[in-house]
Amino acid sequence: MNALTYRLRLLEPLLVSQAQSGEENSSIGLLYAPGSALRGALIARYLRKYPTADLAGDARARRLFFDGAVCFLNAYPWRDGRRMLPTPASWFMEKDQADKDDPDITDLAAAPDAEPEQPKAVKPRFCTSANEPMLYTPALTGSVHITLVKGEEKNKVYRYDALPPGELLGGAIVADNPADLDLLLELLCEGDLILGGSHLAGYGRARVEDAKIVEDWEEYSSGDGPESGAIIVTLLSDAICRGADGQVNGDLAAALGAPTLQPERAYHERNVVGGYNRKWSLPLPQAWALPAGSVFVYAKGAFDLEQLRAAAASGVGERRAEGFGRIAINWQGAEEQFTGSKSEADESTGAKVTLSAESRALAGRMAERRFRLLLEQRLAAAVNTASFGGALPNNAQLSRVRAVAQQALATAQKQAQGIAPGEGETPAPPLQPVLDHLSDLKKEARGQFERARIGSTPMLAWLEARATTCDAQTEILKQPDFPVVGGVTAELTPALRAEYTARLIDAVMKKATVENQSRKEVRR
């Protein structure tokens, strides 16, 4: 495979927004520079050099940018002298290994019977290899911007989380025809690139380094796979796959030419991908995609390996010219268990960034504030989606539950602030007042809570589960999005879990009170 490889050194923050970026005036950037952003930047340079009113009618432009003969791969973080790749979703470790700099990792794709006793997915998003890898996740930097709007009393406030300047990314452009790469190399080296959005706000400028054309380039080192002979397919980028019915449904087997074949094991989720059309200044339609790092294990002989490797060279699914649909065949599997190493190195200096104790404490407080903001947003979403069924308890009963939840909230907030119990007081679980109140309910009141439903769960069981487990992570946060500031990661401490669980109980009971009132007005 012929490839034009290069490195990007970010001179300004890079903001290429994810499809799901939170509230209207917020934008959370990707952890890499997508191939679509580089393609768009080179199209702009092509138009300046070869002006045309109909780019789609230009045969050379179609070959370079649109028909898939040339693929612009994502520029992933550059570490240890190589372009990193997405961490396979089949990598797990023991829970107590999560905070170690050199965790012991088990690849369940190769060793399904070796699952750790307390499995935890490997959190870093990128790795350097499938055997003794270096692990790394870029830390997004947050910025707030205020826009003055004429004729309006209030200004607009925007919050952007973007890749910070100084980050080093490694990218590649692959093509069958080396002559196409010669022209793209010329365009690429014309100066600094402007990628992503918010250019006028100081985002997107990147310097191209070490751009060169490489023959027989390999995106990954292919292995023989596990001893069982199983075939392991790992996604190296998001893949948009259509099933036999023509719908975008994440059917990888159909994209590989075997729509009826089912994997023996699969480690994946689904996410939403979008894009932006610069010519029309409009967003592209969003679609479901299999995320990068997804792993599918097929039985021995299910596919012809040579055909699969040909698919790996060209990609699968849709939007392949933009870097979607990159796959690896038996990239992992040779080693079932190995040791990783986490990287926080600054590649520009080769030194590890170390904060002073005061700076680390400040970064911790900033990370916690950002985390609380995220929890506030997720709490509101959880309450808004709560639905009720059956006859609700009367408002007096709901108000009593709110009162004990607020009492528990006060206790949890004291614990979060580090305020110790008074002399002679024995620390108790923060939400114990809620459990005590529920256990002391009279028969009639208990019946009211048992008959009511939150979703499909009896309200009494729902309240007891929340108060017992303080499961704010699953009920509110949903996804493990922990903000990082200066290398310090926010933590969902027991006190925070109790605080936001108490607030969830209080808010849901308040919503039930309003629902009661609405039902009474309808009956009238």
Side-chain angles (χ1 to χ4, degrees):
M1 187 188 324
N2 301 305
L4 166 56
T5 63
Y6 61 92
R7 291 199 302 271
L8 289 177
R9 188 176 300 275
L10 300 186
L11 305 179
E12 296 175 346
L14 175 63
L15 182 65
V16 182
S17 299
Q18 302 179 24
Q20 297 171 319
S21 290
E23 62 186 44
E24 180 181 2
N25 290 347
S26 294
S27 186
I28 302 174
L30 296 170
L31 298 175
Y32 56 91
S36 58
L38 180 78
R39 186 184 71 154
L42 293 187
I43 287 175
R45 289 187 174 180
Y46 182 90
L47 286 173
R48 287 196 297 269
K49 191 167 186 176
Y50 307 102
T52 176
D54 183 14
L55 185 67
D58 184 332
R60 180 172 56 183
R62 289 197 64 82
R63 188 181 70 252
L64 290 176
F65 302 115
F66 300 118
D67 64 7
V70 178
C71 297
F72 297 79
L73 308 193
N74 298 334
Y76 291 135
W78 180 275
R79 286 293 183 274
D80 197 28
R82 71 186 85 176
R83 172 179 177 258
M84 303 187 84
L85 294 172
T87 302
S90 60
W91 286 3
F92 287 83
M93 56 187 170
E94 290 287 357
K95 185 177 180 180
D96 60 3
Q97 295 274 320
D99 296 329
K100 291 187 176 181
D101 290 335
D102 53 349
D104 295 326
I105 299 172
T106 299
D107 186 358
L108 297 187
D113 298 330
E115 182 174 350
E117 294 182 3
Q118 292 183 301
K120 185 177 180 65
V122 174
K123 187 177 178 181
R125 297 285 299 276
F126 298 97
C127 64
T128 52
S129 67
N131 183 18
E132 296 186 2
M134 178 182 291
L135 306 170
Y136 176 66
T137 298
L140 298 179
T141 180
S143 300
V144 176
H145 301 271
I146 300 175
T147 300
L148 303 177
V149 182
K150 293 183 179 180
E152 295 187 15
E153 295 181 359
K154 295 183 179 180
N155 300 325
K156 289 187 177 181
V157 179
Y158 297 87
R159 178 181 179 84
Y160 296 152
D161 289 343
L163 276 176
E167 189 71 48
L168 199 59
L169 307 175
I173 305 171
V174 297
D176 294 331
N177 187 354
D180 292 338
L181 297 180
D182 290 334
L183 177 55
L184 292 172
L185 176 62
E186 183 181 340
L187 295 174
L188 187 65
C189 295
E190 286 185 357
D192 294 345
L193 289 171
I194 302 296
L195 305 172
S198 298
H199 303 160
L200 298 180
Y203 288 79
R205 193 160 61 95
R207 178 171 299 155
V208 178
E209 299 179 355
D210 195 28
K212 59 187 177 183
I213 296 176
V214 180
E215 296 181 358
D216 299 324
W217 179 78
E218 293 185 349
E219 189 172 6
Y220 66 96
S221 298
S222 178
D224 296 328
E227 293 182 0
S228 64
I231 300 172
I232 300 178
V233 180
T234 307
L235 297 190
L236 304 182
S237 66
D238 294 348
I240 305 173
C241 302
R242 290 187 184 273
D245 58 0
Q247 299 297 316
V248 176
N249 58 6
D251 188 347
L252 181 64
L256 293 173
T260 61
L261 185 63
Q262 296 296 321
E264 292 184 338
R265 299 183 301 281
Y267 307 87
H268 70 93
E269 297 177 350
R270 288 189 186 181
N271 63 359
V272 177
V273 296
Y276 192 77
N277 187 306
R278 292 180 63 182
K279 177 174 177 58
W280 300 107
S281 297
L282 289 172
L284 297 177
Q286 295 183 356
W288 287 108
L290 295 168
S294 298
V295 177
F296 298 82
V297 183
Y298 294 95
K300 180 180 180 181
F303 290 101
D304 180 85
L305 284 178
E306 293 305 318
Q307 291 181 354
L308 276 185
R309 291 194 170 99
S314 59
V316 298
E318 300 188 355
R319 296 174 62 180
R320 289 177 291 173
E322 302 172 43
F324 286 86
R326 307 299 301 179
I327 63 173
I329 310 302
N330 289 340
W331 173 43
Q332 59 203 94
E335 297 290 339
E336 299 176 353
Q337 294 179 319
F338 45 89
T339 301
S341 60
K342 295 182 181 179
S343 169
E344 295 180 0
D346 180 355
E347 289 289 316
S348 63
T349 63
K352 195 169 183 176
V353 179
T354 304
L355 297 178
S356 65
E358 294 81 3
S359 297
R360 190 170 184 81
L362 177 60
R365 291 196 296 272
M366 294 173 64
E368 182 183 351
R369 285 198 293 270
R370 290 179 58 188
F371 193 31
R372 281 184 172 274
L373 178 61
L374 176 63
L375 285 169
E376 294 289 341
Q377 296 170 350
R378 299 287 173 84
L379 174 62
V383 175
N384 288 337
T385 56
S387 60
F388 303 104
L392 294 175
N394 61 52
N395 285 354
Q397 294 294 343
L398 295 172
S399 295
R400 293 188 182 103
V401 175
R402 290 192 64 194
V404 294
Q406 290 166 7
Q407 177 186 343
L409 174 61
T411 302
Q413 288 175 334
K414 287 182 180 179
Q415 291 186 2
Q417 296 169 6
I419 301 176
E423 186 176 352
E425 294 182 10
T426 302
L431 270 62
Q432 190 63 42
V434 178
L435 292 172
D436 292 341
H437 175 76
L438 296 176
S439 64
D440 292 340
L441 288 174
K442 302 297 182 182
K443 182 177 180 180
E444 181 181 351
R446 177 175 290 273
Q448 293 182 36
F449 283 98
E450 288 175 341
R451 288 189 293 272
R453 294 286 187 274
I454 298 179
S456 59
T457 306
M459 183 177 286
L460 181 64
W462 186 89
L463 288 168
E464 289 176 339
R466 304 291 80 74
T468 301
T469 59
C470 292
D471 49 358
Q473 180 159 342
T474 56
E475 291 295 314
I476 299 175
L477 192 59
K478 305 294 186 183
Q479 298 176 349
D481 300 329
F482 298 100
V484 180
V485 176
V488 179
T489 305
E491 295 182 9
L492 186 58
T493 62
L496 269 181
R497 284 202 300 268
E499 177 182 343
Y500 279 89
T501 304
R503 291 184 58 186
L504 175 64
I505 293 173
D506 181 32
V508 171
M509 293 301 101
K510 180 180 179 180
K511 185 176 181 180
T513 302
V514 175
E515 177 76 10
N516 259 340
Q517 188 65 31
S518 300
R519 292 183 183 183
K520 288 180 182 179
E521 292 176 357
V522 170
R523 287 196 293 269
R524 289 176 187 171

